[in-house]
Amino acid sequence: MTPISQVRMRKGSAHTAAQPGRLGLHPADATAHACRGMTSIRARPGLTSAMLGSRAAGFARDLRAVALAWLPGWRGRSFALARTAGAPHSGDLQPPACPEPRGRQLSLSAAAVVDSAPRPLQPYLRLMRLDKPIGTWLLYLPCTWSIGLAAEPGCFPDWYMLSLFGTGAILMRGAGCTINDMWDQDYDKKVTRTANRPIAAGDISTFQSFVFLGGQLTLALGVLLCLNYYSIALGAGSLLLVITYPLMKRISYWPQLALGLTFNWGALLGWSAIKGSCDPSVCLPLYFSGVMWTLIYDTIYAHQDKRDDVLIGLKSTALRFGENTKPWLSGFSVAMLGALSLVGVNSGQTAPYYAALGAVGAHLTHQIYTLDIHRPEDCWNKFISNRTLGLIVFLGIVLGNLWKEKKTDKTKKSIENKIEN
């Protein structure tokens, strides 16, 4: 046998062994076999160029066979032949895992947005609580109730006013949190839940927070100046409440009442921004209902920190009510629903509004009945669920106002029919 024929025989045997469709080798084994064939060629420097060319062509066909074996149409046959040859079960034959690309996953949550901001800016965003927007919602929702009630019958609320008050809620909530953290920085260091707040943790100095507060209040003033003169004066009157609220927990067991008077100022301001002044028959019961609502959700919130509050000498309704919290919350709920019902009567609301009040009553009942005041995580979940409650009230106001148009049209038609007859 000539050397060339020996080469052809070796080439044919290597090619046959490399194809998974012939001897049932796994494609990885076929590749290794083909690579060993090329290594043997490099080990014989005396082979002719024809031998090298022949081996190279066979190696190319081997690679093509391996690639085809991993295509969807070939995979099943490769695994079946591998089982016939005594190879491991197909469940063990897994393609090599590709490394997942590293990088920050895209998320639209408020906390993720804050985390993706430039690092020097993050402490200021956390000082505003932009990573925890529930407080902004609870400040904003009473404004939406008032704006919705002030809308003309059959019309949607003023979208410009809704957006303006939304901007104001972000700024004023941020300013309130900044003031609160400036007052409470020594207390925050002693409470586990608040020890990582920017001022308490030393990420922002007191002077820096004071300058930042000035910037927020300046922007909030710009929003307020977009309103009528009556509303500008009314809005400025809330600043005293914003500044003094954080001090209430030092001197009274009712700081949640002070927060309610502060947080629900928008119930007065929204109506006056649309109508030019407040209607006491609507605005005062609406304001009162908001205060009752705040007493409910902030008492629940305060139960998270009651152990730390006792140790450092702070007061709250959670400590005042203790194990009688649920009866107190039930009383506040009845007062809130009664005030909202009076708002509906005085503003001529319709069926969708009262249906929404029924849903609010069910939400409050479930919230209070299932509350575990000794589990901070449950208190937090109940607290944040109040955003849904506020949105239900707003939806009821909008739908109830739109319902007025249908009722008015029916009334006009009946009057016209009587005149014709």
Side-chain angles (χ1 to χ4, degrees):
M1 185 180 295
T2 63
I4 296 297
S5 61
Q6 292 177 3
V7 172
R8 287 176 179 167
M9 289 182 64
R10 292 193 192 101
K11 179 193 71 174
S13 61
H15 178 56
T16 302
Q19 287 193 11
R22 296 191 180 181
L23 294 182
L25 292 179
H26 189 271
D29 298 330
T31 305
H33 193 85
C35 291
R36 286 195 296 271
M38 289 299 292
T39 304
S40 65
I41 292 176
R42 289 193 295 269
R44 293 183 178 91
L47 289 177
T48 63
S49 59
M51 293 169 62
L52 290 173
S54 178
R55 280 296 177 100
F59 181 65
R61 285 192 294 271
D62 293 338
L63 289 180
R64 181 174 179 273
V66 171
L68 289 174
W70 286 100
L71 289 175
W74 287 70
R75 184 176 296 179
R77 185 164 61 178
S78 302
F79 288 170
L81 290 170
R83 286 196 299 270
T84 303
H89 190 270
S90 62
D92 301 328
L93 299 175
Q94 299 290 342
C98 299
E100 296 182 0
R102 296 182 179 179
R104 186 175 296 168
Q105 293 183 349
L106 179 62
S107 176
L108 295 180
S109 68
V113 171
V114 171
D115 289 339
S116 64
R119 190 168 298 276
L121 190 61
Q122 289 183 19
Y124 294 95
L125 299 181
R126 290 194 173 91
L127 183 60
M128 294 179 68
R129 308 289 198 276
L130 287 186
D131 57 328
K132 297 176 181 178
I134 179 61
T136 303
W137 276 106
L138 297 176
L139 177 62
Y140 176 56
L141 283 167
C143 305
T144 67
W145 301 350
S146 189
I147 294 171
L149 287 168
E152 292 296 322
C155 298
F156 283 99
D158 190 320
W159 299 111
Y160 171 72
M161 283 297 174
L162 288 174
S163 61
L164 199 64
F165 273 74
T167 304
I170 294 172
L171 293 170
M172 286 306 298
R173 196 256 177 148
C177 290
T178 303
I179 295 171
N180 181 79
D181 288 6
M182 290 171 68
W183 281 117
D184 290 352
Q185 55 183 302
D186 293 331
Y187 290 102
D188 287 343
K189 295 175 184 178
K190 302 174 184 178
V191 179
T192 303
R193 188 179 60 83
T194 60
N196 62 347
R197 287 178 175 174
I199 300 178
D203 298 330
I204 301 176
S205 68
T206 303
F207 177 75
Q208 287 173 321
S209 61
F210 187 78
V211 173
F212 184 56
L213 173 63
Q216 293 176 88
L217 291 177
T218 301
L219 293 174
L221 178 61
V223 173
L224 186 63
L225 292 176
C226 295
L227 307 180
N228 54 57
Y229 291 119
Y230 182 96
S231 300
I232 292 173
L234 184 63
S238 68
L239 192 58
L240 181 62
L241 291 171
V242 174
I243 295 173
T244 57
Y245 153 69
L247 300 176
M248 293 297 106
K249 66 188 75 172
R250 294 167 170 80
I251 61 177
S252 171
Y253 279 101
W254 291 87
Q256 281 68 31
L257 178 60
L259 180 66
L261 296 173
T262 306
F263 251 49
N264 294 281
W265 202 257
L268 307 174
L269 198 58
W271 181 282
S272 70
I274 302 294
K275 299 290 191 179
S277 62
C278 287
D279 181 352
S281 66
V282 175
C283 294
L284 292 182
L286 185 65
Y287 183 56
F288 177 78
S289 68
V291 173
M292 294 297 103
W293 184 38
T294 303
L295 282 168
I296 295 168
Y297 65 67
D298 207 53
T299 297
I300 294 173
Y301 181 86
H303 271 285
Q304 297 178 100
D305 300 328
K306 56 189 176 185
R307 292 186 179 89
D308 292 325
D309 288 346
V310 169
L311 293 176
I312 61 181
L314 295 181
K315 301 176 176 65
S316 70
T317 50
L319 295 176
R320 172 68 179 81
F321 302 154
E323 295 298 325
N324 294 319
T325 292
K326 290 189 177 184
W328 278 94
L329 296 184
S330 299
F332 296 146
S333 299
V334 171
M336 176 186 177
L337 291 171
L340 287 175
S341 299
L342 182 59
V343 169
V345 172
N346 292 341
S347 62
Q349 278 295 333
T350 54
Y353 175 80
Y354 295 104
L357 291 191
V360 168
H363 189 289
L364 288 170
T365 301
H366 176 267
Q367 187 179 162
I368 296 171
Y369 181 76
T370 61
L371 172 66
D372 186 349
I373 60 174
H374 302 297
R375 288 180 57 226
E377 62 275 13
D378 185 61
C379 293
W380 173 256
N381 291 333
K382 295 299 191 299
F383 168 70
I384 63 176
S385 72
N386 281 276
R387 179 182 63 176
T388 302
L389 187 151
L391 289 172
I392 293 172
V393 175
F394 177 60
L395 182 62
I397 291 172
V398 173
L399 294 179
N401 204 48
L402 294 176
W403 190 274
K404 292 179 183 178
E405 183 179 29
K406 296 180 180 179
K407 187 176 180 180
T408 303
D409 289 342
K410 289 181 180 179
T411 304
K412 287 181 179 179
K413 289 181 180 179
S414 63
I415 294 175
E416 291 175 357
N417 291 332
K418 288 181 181 179
I419 292 175
E420 291 177 358
N421 295 331

